Amino acid sequence: MLKSRGVPNFVFAAGGGGRYKWGMSEPIVFQKSPIVQKVEPGTYWWCACGRSKSQPFCDGSHKGTGLEPQKVDITEARTVAWCACKHSGGKPFCDGTHGKLA
């Protein structure tokens, strides 16, 4: 993928015939380890873009990226490992994918 010039937060995805088309931003890796936290029952909005200053939760920094936070309903108090690399196959929770990132 090539980063677009002059348009922040968007990338071009290579298309057929050497053409490029608009695509969503890729999430930014916040860190390559989970954020382990005790949580109480309630609704949480997990940051999927990696830009939030309130990790692992959304602060609205995704605006304009094409990425959206993920709603998470926790039904009982427990400890969770939130994905902080933003590439987990088990979003919003860590599945170890961060260990495979460059």
Side-chain angles (χ1 to χ4, degrees), residues 9-74:
N9 298 326
F10 284 92
V11 296
F12 290 105
R19 296 182 183 154
Y20 292 91
K21 60 183 178 181
W22 286 103
M24 284 194 307
S25 281
E26 289 293 317
I28 294 172
V29 175
F30 176 72
Q31 67 184 32
K32 291 184 181 178
S33 61
I35 298 171
V36 179
Q37 201 176 56
K38 290 182 181 178
V39 293
E40 296 296 322
T43 299
Y44 297 84
W45 290 91
W46 175 76
C47 169
C49 71
R51 292 164 175 80
S52 174
K53 304 266 189 274
S54 302
Q55 292 292 331
F57 307 114
C58 178
D59 69 0
S61 296
H62 64 276
K63 288 185 170 80
T65 67
L67 298 169
E68 296 290 328
Q70 183 173 333
K71 181 180 179 182
V72 182
D73 291 315
I74 302 291

